[in-house]
Amino acid sequence: MLDNRAINEAMTIKLGNEYPDYPEFAEGIRRAPDRGFRLTKEQTKIALKNALRYVPEELHEKLAPEFMEELTTRGRIYAYRYRPDEIITGKPIHEYKGKCLAGKAFQVMIDNNLDFEVALYPYELVTYGETGQVCQNWLQYRLIKKYLEEMTEYQTLVVESGHPLGLFPSKPEAPRVIITNSMMIGMYDNLEDWEIAEEMGVANYGQMTAGGWMYIGPQGIVHGTFNTILNAGRKYLGVAEQGDLEGHTFVSSGLGGMSGAQPKAANIANAVGIFAEVDLSRIETRHNQGWVDVIMDDLDEIFKLANEKVAAKESISIAYHGNIVDLLEAAVEKNFKIDLLSDQTSCHNVYNGGYCPVGMSFEERTRLLGEDRDKFCEEVDKTLHRHYKAIKGLTEKGTYFFDYGNSFMKAMYDAGIKEISKNGYDDKDGFIWPSYVEDIMGPILFDYGYGPFRWVCLSGKPEDLRATDQAAMDVIDPNRRGQDRDNWIWIRDAEKNKLVVGTQARILYQDAEGRRDIGLAFNKLVREGKIGPVMMGRDHHDVSGTDSPFRETSNIYDGSQFCADMAVHNVIGDGFRGATWVSIHNGGGVGWGEVMNGGFGMVIDGSADSDRHIQEMLLWDVNNGIARRSWARNEGAMNAIKREMERTPGLKVTLPNIADEQLIRNILA
């Protein structure tokens, strides 16, 4: 066996024998709760060995006790000592070291994910969603940065659950980075085994764009929420096609990473919004940001103010410092009218701190989570039962409730509320209330190819973002479809609405044709020297990047909603059509084991290659999903892919023959 001296001599990219000073933790920065320590003695030994393999042997004696202490008190080895002693933020690309443009671009994206203004728990490398990490620890972060600084266009960096496996010889046409996160073997693809693997330092929960390095702050879900509630209003509240939510109420909970977008979206849609949050620091962040108008904790006063604003047809976003269950129970009791109702707490991590039991402060929740997990879980289940009863009472009075893709109804089902099941005995046919994708986003947007693509101006210049906004506006035809009009207005007002948090980035819902044309317009601007390079990508939450039966594919009813073929094919196809990076994650916004997420990023540098990649890759990235949705007999998708075949030479897609309903009934009779 090789000794450590030979091992270190064999590596040219590695962590050296420097022993960094222990960092000071800034006041007021949120910290992840203790995740609990549950490893056996043998597993603990392996966990320590796994962390120590990143550093030379001469440091092991110093670091081993430190890592052990982190493991037993935080539930994870974060290697805090190796966090850089500097402010981490997505800097302009020219400030990064690197031998190729892509290597520097990735560093912008990673650092933006860890910005204090962006990340949920930045010291624990958690970007959003309670446990969604860029990578597992600061050792990995430092090593990834070293690899990206050395990477050339003839190499590909392989990252496995946050661990940089290494640079491998490649070619310019191949992706520069390939990322996987927690691809657990089927037999062990469950929460308990995943938690053990994560504690041992071999699994990383990437969420969607946290471990995929494509998060642009809560702006992304502002647009999604805006689209969702506006179309819900049109479908269920009688709102005109050209209208907004004036005079209507929208109530939800959560003001954290993704959920923090809700009040801003409500304001843009001109609604009266009330949002419950137990963590005062999250409320204050959104208030300071200007995304929440007022902070209140008296429900009588909240209902009074909301009714006044509804009558006056004025918009307001109210943050309620308290538990959503208390709010909803009071609404039932006092007959407060709620038009649209949802939930955006991190219910995909309901037993890991993503949901706070009623009657418990945020501080008590954090303490109980670390000290008595069984008691915490018991209180969560009790609260979910009360939450269900309150929603049922409101829907019986005419409230339209939708699951906002956070595994909310699945959490209720798992807590023993079996009557929430549509078929009454399991979750295979969905639940009594619709997912927002099932009822709104799927048939109205995803089936037609509209999804949340995004871009980052790597120069860091606001004027570059302004130029790309204008280019996107120039491409969109607001008269083509209602969705195009909504998106044209969105991009027109984006700067005014002050949506940027972190890097100079934008999100926009568009179809394959729109994304292609906008991408080509950006590349022309770069080529002409009018803007710097652009990173184009999308949220994995999209037409074809995600297989999730309780969210993205919840409006697929042919049985394939439980299969992950689409997400895997999406990543493979993007990889050989010009993506600069591709990523695939087990898990995502709806939780561990309930979704497979595939994502990509593409550096637009003004070249002819970029033109070609934009045309080839975006066609596949969107139409892969439309074709699958069409095969599931989704009418909108069938029409969309038929149109796509008519305009795209070489595209030949299998379409479904439709069986006669009466024939099927007769056969089954």
Side-chain angles (χ1 to χ4, degrees):
M1 187 173 178
L2 291 174
D3 61 20
N4 284 330
R5 181 178 177 180
I7 287 168
N8 273 280
E9 287 176 352
M11 290 188 290
T12 55
I13 300 175
K14 58 189 173 182
L15 298 181
N17 59 5
E18 66 272 14
Y19 185 64
D21 292 334
Y22 202 81
E24 292 186 16
F25 294 93
E27 289 290 326
I29 302 300
R30 287 173 298 276
R31 301 293 305 280
D34 174 10
R35 301 298 185 189
F37 176 67
R38 60 185 63 77
L39 299 183
T40 65
K41 186 175 181 179
E42 190 60 34
Q43 289 168 339
T44 304
K45 286 167 58 179
I46 296 172
L48 288 171
K49 289 179 180 179
N50 286 347
L52 291 170
R53 60 186 165 179
Y54 284 102
V55 294
E57 185 181 3
E58 57 259 40
L59 298 178
H60 288 190
E61 192 170 344
K62 291 180 180 178
L63 290 171
E66 198 168 288
F67 289 170
M68 184 65 182
E69 198 257 342
E70 288 181 10
L71 187 59
T72 54
T73 62
R74 310 293 303 185
R76 304 284 187 273
I77 296 173
Y78 296 112
Y80 292 119
R81 181 174 294 278
Y82 284 83
R83 185 189 184 275
D85 187 22
E86 62 187 43
I87 295 173
I88 298 177
T89 186
K91 300 183 290 291
I93 192 168
H94 71 267
E95 295 184 21
Y96 289 92
K97 299 176 186 174
K99 296 180 178 179
C100 69
L101 183 64
K104 293 189 282 187
F106 290 126
Q107 295 179 66
V108 176
M109 306 303 291
I110 290 170
D111 285 353
N112 182 66
N113 275 15
L114 296 170
D115 189 322
F116 282 171
E117 296 297 315
V118 174
L120 176 63
Y121 304 129
Y123 284 113
E124 288 75 37
L125 300 109
V126 174
T127 302
Y128 65 92
E130 196 60 31
T131 54
Q133 292 181 286
V134 170
C135 52
Q136 299 172 56
N137 56 58
W138 292 104
L139 296 160
Q140 292 179 345
Y141 171 87
R142 287 203 178 208
L143 193 53
I144 287 169
K145 294 291 285 280
K146 283 178 176 287
Y147 274 116
L148 292 174
E149 288 172 358
E150 290 297 320
M151 183 174 68
T152 73
E153 290 188 350
Y154 291 87
Q155 293 168 309
T156 292
L157 176 64
V158 177
V159 181
E160 297 181 350
S161 280
H163 167 64
L165 192 67
L167 287 172
F168 290 80
S170 188
K171 57 183 180 180
E173 288 293 297
R176 296 281 68 75
V177 177
I178 298 174
I179 302 169
T180 57
N181 278 303
S182 291
M183 306 298 286
M184 306 287 288
I185 299 297
M187 184 181 292
Y188 302 97
D189 191 7
N190 58 75
L191 187 61
E192 183 178 346
D193 283 314
W194 166 72
E195 285 186 339
I196 290 170
E198 193 175 47
E199 278 187 64
M200 292 176 70
V202 293
N204 185 57
Y205 191 69
Q207 267 285 350
M208 290 185 167
T209 50
W213 310 343
M214 198 63 205
Y215 190 58
I216 61 166
Q219 177 187 171
I221 201 167
V222 175
H223 195 9
T225 306
F226 166 75
N227 265 322
T228 298
I229 61 177
L230 197 58
N231 282 296
R234 290 166 179 165
K235 193 170 179 178
Y236 297 102
L237 304 178
V239 171
E241 189 68 26
Q242 308 294 318
D244 56 28
L245 294 181
E246 177 185 87
H248 293 286
T249 55
F250 170 46
V251 174
S252 187
S253 55
L255 287 172
M258 302 279 270
S259 56
Q262 296 181 109
K264 186 68 175 178
N267 277 344
I268 296 172
N270 208 24
V272 172
I274 307 172
F275 307 96
E277 172 59 65
V278 292
D279 181 356
L280 185 59
S281 76
R282 304 306 283 163
I283 294 176
E284 290 171 341
T285 295
R286 299 308 173 204
H287 188 250
N288 295 336
Q289 195 178 22
W291 287 21
V292 162
D293 295 322
V294 294
I295 304 170
M296 304 174 73
D297 57 13
D298 186 308
L299 288 170
D300 287 331
E301 291 298 313
I302 287 172
F303 294 157
K304 180 184 175 187
L305 176 60
N307 283 328
E308 288 172 358
K309 293 294 183 180
V310 167
K313 295 188 175 180
E314 295 174 357
S315 174
I316 190 171
S317 59
I318 304 167
Y320 165 56
H321 182 215
N323 197 290
I324 183 63
V325 174
D326 288 326
L327 191 160
L328 298 184
E329 289 177 343
V332 173
E333 181 187 341
K334 299 175 187 296
N335 287 312
F336 175 72
K337 189 174 185 293
I338 298 175
D339 295 310
L340 302 176
L341 174 63
S342 193
D343 182 274
Q344 193 60 16
T345 55
S346 293
C347 273
H348 64 282
N349 269 316
V350 69
Y351 301 117
N352 275 311
Y355 183 84
C356 184
V358 70
M360 190 180 295
S361 70
F362 183 69
E363 290 71 26
E364 288 171 326
R365 158 265 191 192
T366 303
R367 179 188 59 77
L368 193 61
L369 192 59
E371 294 178 4
D372 192 343
R373 179 67 68 89
D374 290 343
K375 176 67 175 174
F376 177 81
C377 295
E378 183 184 318
E379 293 301 316
V380 164
D381 285 349
K382 288 179 183 176
T383 300
L384 286 168
H385 279 256
R386 284 175 61 178
H387 205 154
Y388 170 77
K389 185 179 177 183
I391 294 173
K392 201 163 187 293
L394 288 163
T395 57
E396 287 169 354
K397 294 183 178 187
T399 296
Y400 172 72
F401 172 81
F402 60 94
D403 187 313
Y404 203 19
N406 59 341
S407 213
F408 181 66
M409 287 191 291
K410 181 65 162 63
M412 287 185 165
Y413 177 82
D414 291 341
I417 307 170
K418 302 306 179 187
E419 61 264 37
I420 202 170
S421 163
K422 192 180 286 185
N423 62 26
Y425 55 85
D426 65 20
D427 57 10
K428 297 296 191 295
D429 294 328
F431 303 107
I432 59 173
W433 296 308
S435 150
Y436 77 115
V437 172
E438 186 177 12
D439 226 26
I440 303 165
M441 298 292 278
I444 296 174
L445 293 165
F446 287 177
D447 282 355
Y448 290 92
Y450 289 82
F453 94 104
R454 58 189 53 194
W455 63 91
V456 175
C457 295
L458 295 167
S459 68
K461 297 178 179 178
E463 55 265 37
D464 280 13
L465 184 60
R466 197 172 298 124
T468 58
D469 283 348
Q470 185 59 56
M473 272 186 67
D474 293 343
V475 167
I476 299 169
D477 178 5
N479 300 312
R480 186 172 63 141
R481 293 184 79 227
Q483 282 67 43
D484 290 296
R485 178 184 173 277
D486 292 344
N487 293 324
W488 188 86
I489 291 171
W490 164 268
I491 203 75
R492 181 196 68 188
D493 297 341
E495 186 174 5
K496 179 183 73 176
N497 287 323
K498 298 178 180 176
L499 298 167
V500 171
V501 181
T503 52
Q504 296 294 314
R506 187 71 74 224
I507 186 159
L508 176 65
Y509 274 63
Q510 275 293 289
D511 62 0
E513 189 175 2
R515 297 184 207 197
R516 178 202 65 189
D517 292 347
I518 290 169
L520 292 172
F522 291 174
N523 202 41
K524 185 170 183 286
L525 288 174
V526 178
R527 185 161 51 244
E528 293 173 350
K530 294 177 179 177
I531 62 172
V534 174
M535 175 71 84
M536 185 184 232
R538 56 159 167 75
D539 196 324
H540 304 5
H541 165 69
D542 197 10
V543 179
S544 65
T546 300
D547 285 296
S548 175
F550 305 118
R551 191 162 77 179
E552 285 83 356
T553 47
S554 59
N555 72 317
I556 286 178
Y557 303 107
D558 68 349
S560 68
Q561 64 266 41
F562 302 103
C563 301
D565 301 72
M566 180 175 70
V568 174
H569 271 287
N570 187 260
V571 166
I572 295 170
D574 285 355
F576 64 73
R577 288 182 174 89
T580 311
W581 66 256
V582 290
S583 61
I584 190 153
H585 317 292
N586 185 348
V590 295
W592 179 259
E594 295 175 20
V595 55
M596 192 68 72
N597 275 299
F600 83 90
M602 181 191 294
V603 175
I604 296 175
D605 61 6
S607 66
D609 281 343
S610 279
D611 275 341
R612 180 166 54 82
H613 294 158
I614 289 165
Q615 296 184 74
E616 292 178 356
M617 204 214 73
L618 294 180
L619 176 80
W620 161 258
D621 189 69
V622 177
N623 285 300
N624 166 46
I626 299 177
R628 189 266 184 94
R629 293 167 185 277
S630 168
W631 186 240
R633 295 181 291 273
N634 292 15
E635 187 176 355
M638 291 169 65
N639 288 323
I641 201 68
K642 179 176 176 294
R643 175 179 172 273
E644 197 67 48
M645 284 193 285
E646 289 167 355
R647 78 177 185 91
T648 304
L651 181 63
K652 312 289 182 185
V653 172
T654 309
L655 297 176
N657 292 291
I658 309 300
D660 181 73
E661 286 289 336
Q662 188 59 52
L663 171 66
I664 300 300
R665 283 195 292 269
N666 291 342
I667 294 293
L668 294 175

